[in-house]
Amino acid sequence: MMTFNSARSVVLTACAVAVLAACSSSSRIPAPVEDRLGAGRPPAGAAAPLAAKPLPGAENAGKPGYYTVQRGDTLMRIGLDSGQSWRDLARWNSLSNPDVIEVGQVLRVVPPGAAVETSGVVVRPVAPSGESTATTAAAKPAAVVPSPATPSSAINDEGLGFIWPANGSLLAGFDESKNKGLDIAGKAGDPVLASADGQVVYAGAGLRGYGNLIILKHNNTFLTAYAHNQELLVKEDQKVRKGQKIAEMGKSDADRVKLHFEVRRQGKPVDPAKFLPAR
């Protein structure tokens, strides 16, 4: 029969064994270590994460003749604002899908090999013949201010001789911040005419706010745009003559029937009234 002392000895021995076992077990599990300096580092032996791939053209960011894509941009809009055909932009930048451009991507917006504007110098793209059309700011002739009796076409238009693209009354004039062209009244189906000889660089409805739109390129300096048409009568790459009917007036993406007409000089909207003959 086990005495009290014997029982007490057995209990103490069992407790000691249990404590030793727990200590032995916990010694095999290292305590967690907080890495305050190297948070986010991959475990030892693991491959480091790949650096973010630079966007196409990133090496040209900020250089003259290049444009960094902003949120909401489309190639069509960039082409209009730079005075270029979207097809040319796609070709110069080797875009396999012109509908896919990324914010932060840098695009060439002047022809390869063309001179661009630099400080103190106004430079135009190289003419098709290969001759440079660059001029210094000092050498640039001053604009001629017409007298009331002189047609406003006396403003330098490089010999294009722009004409009014429609016969309706003027609804709204040019305002650099609110209206980048002229709004001309008319009836649905009225003819819309090419304001000068040129080539169709866009015909479609892909530019928000313009409806059915035609853009003509007249030379390396001037574009004209004809918006809100109900029907387009020409196709991209087609050459047109001054006075040729290119569309029928309508109200696509507009609140009434009208023609919105823009003149862009090297992509910048300018007042069309300065290049059109007086009425």
Side-chain angles (χ1 to χ4, degrees), residues 36-112:
R36 296 181 183 274
L37 297 179
R41 291 186 303 186
L50 295 176
K53 185 178 179 181
L55 290 169
E59 68 279 7
N60 296 315
K63 294 181 181 178
Y66 290 87
Y67 173 77
T68 301
V69 176
Q70 308 296 314
R71 187 174 301 278
D73 277 343
T74 64
L75 203 63
M76 178 64 231
R77 168 67 69 178
I78 296 170
L80 182 61
D81 290 344
S82 61
Q84 306 292 351
S85 161
W86 69 269
R87 291 181 182 273
D88 287 339
L89 295 182
R91 186 174 70 255
W92 298 339
N93 293 281
S94 301
L95 300 179
S96 57
N97 184 352
D99 294 327
V100 179
I101 53 177
E102 301 179 70
V103 174
Q105 182 175 353
V106 180
L107 300 175
R108 171 182 282 278
V109 292
V110 298

Side-chain angles (χ1 to χ4, degrees), residues 14 33 35 42 44 55 64 74 79 82 90 98 100 108 111 113 144 166 176 185 206 226 247 262 268:
V33 177
D35 184 2
L55 290 169
T74 64
S82 61
V100 179
R108 171 182 282 278
V144 177
E176 192 168 353
Y226 310 75
E262 293 184 7
K268 181 181 179 181

Side-chain angles (χ1 to χ4, degrees), residues 224-244:
T224 53
Y226 310 75
H228 305 311
N229 304 288
Q230 75 173 10
E231 186 175 356
L232 306 181
L233 304 178
V234 292
K235 298 179 179 179
E236 289 183 14
D237 296 328
Q238 181 177 337
K239 291 184 178 180
V240 299
R241 304 293 295 176
K242 180 192 302 186
Q244 179 178 337

Side-chain angles (χ1 to χ4, degrees), residues 212-275:
N212 294 324
L213 171 69
I214 291 173
I215 299 175
L216 302 182
K217 184 169 186 175
H218 303 287
N219 56 22
N220 285 332
T221 303
F222 286 100
L223 295 177
T224 53
Y226 310 75
H228 305 311
N229 304 288
Q230 75 173 10
E231 186 175 356
L232 306 181
L233 304 178
V234 292
K235 298 179 179 179
E236 289 183 14
D237 296 328
Q238 181 177 337
K239 291 184 178 180
V240 299
R241 304 293 295 176
K242 180 192 302 186
Q244 179 178 337
K245 183 178 177 180
I246 58 175
E248 292 181 353
M249 197 180 294
K251 61 175 183 178
S252 56
D253 213 358
D255 57 356
R256 59 164 294 169
V257 174
K258 63 181 177 181
L259 172 66
H260 176 75
F261 174 65
E262 293 184 7
V263 174
R264 295 206 172 212
R265 189 180 189 278
Q266 294 180 338
K268 181 181 179 181
V270 292
D271 186 355
K274 293 183 178 180
F275 299 90

